[in-house]
């Protein structure tokens, strides 16, 4: 068990790109804490330089700073980015950044209630499972299994 990381909720994430590569990660945690968790999960090398931490920007969610910094680092305009977010403040931040966002309610204690909350703050779609997230992303034109940017 890694403190603060819901290990039981990590397994569904593998359904998004099972057998395929996910190469960008942005989390609202201090870099040192995030690095330790990625090492413990054996994911340190999976994301390379594409890890963006909350302590690297002036303002955190609901400010868009972290999303905008990630987009700038990837040399992508915000509107070309897609966000999967499970918190209302994260959805607000993505919307403010000009990035389409799907709200993930599948890990909430009350998924239906949380879905309504995420939609109310601007999520373009709401997903209850990672398969639904993948379907939303595919509908947004995201190609899986490529490194196309």
């Amino acid at each position: 068990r890694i403190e603060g990381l819901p290990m039981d909720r990590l397994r569904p994430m593998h359904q998004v790109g099972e057998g395929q590569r996910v190469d960008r990660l942005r989390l609202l945690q201090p870099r040192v804490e995030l690095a330790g968790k990625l090492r413990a999960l054996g994911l340190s090398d999976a994301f390379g330089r594409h890890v963006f931490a909350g302590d690297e920007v002036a303002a955190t969610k609901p400010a868009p700073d972290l999303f905008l910094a990630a987009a700038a680092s990837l040399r992508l305009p915000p509107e070309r980015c897609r966000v999967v977010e499970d918190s209302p403040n994260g959805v607000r931040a993505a919307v403010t950044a000009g990035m389409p966002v799907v709200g993930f309610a599948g890990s909430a204690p009350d998924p239906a209630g949380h879905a309504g909350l995420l939609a109310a703050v601007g999520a373009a779609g709401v997903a209850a499972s990672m398969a639904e997230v993948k379907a939303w992303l595919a509908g947004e034109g995201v190609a899986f299994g490529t490194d196309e940017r």
Side-chain angles (χ1 to χ4, degrees):
R1 173 153 173 73
I2 301 170
E3 190 60 39
L5 189 64
M7 298 298 288
D8 59 324
R9 294 184 185 155
L10 287 179
R11 288 189 194 104
M13 293 298 289
H14 296 293
Q15 295 172 8
V16 170
E18 198 164 318
Q20 299 168 4
R21 205 178 94 171
V22 176
D23 63 8
R24 294 160 195 88
L25 179 66
R26 188 264 338 132
L27 290 174
L28 183 64
Q29 297 179 348
R31 177 162 292 278
V32 68
E33 183 180 329
L34 178 56
K37 290 177 181 179
L38 290 174
R39 266 193 311 279
L41 290 168
L43 296 174
S44 292
D45 296 331
F47 298 100
R49 62 184 173 82
H50 300 301
V51 177
F52 308 97
D55 62 346
E56 298 172 339
V57 294
T60 58
K61 301 173 190 177
D65 299 27
L66 189 56
F67 290 117
L68 293 172
S73 174
L74 294 166
R75 296 186 181 132
L76 288 172
E79 63 275 7
R80 289 225 25 237
C81 298
R82 299 298 178 264
V83 176
V84 179
E85 182 59 63
D86 67 347
S87 75
N89 276 343
V91 170
R92 287 181 184 102
V95 169
T96 302
M99 299 177 180
V101 56
V102 63
F104 181 68
S107 62
D110 173 19
H114 197 64
L117 182 58
L118 296 173
V121 296
V126 178
S129 70
M130 294 316 282
E132 290 178 16
V133 168
K134 186 174 180 180
W136 183 83
L137 290 169
E140 287 287 306
V142 175
F144 292 90
T146 69
D147 193 25
E148 185 178 322
R149 293 190 186 143

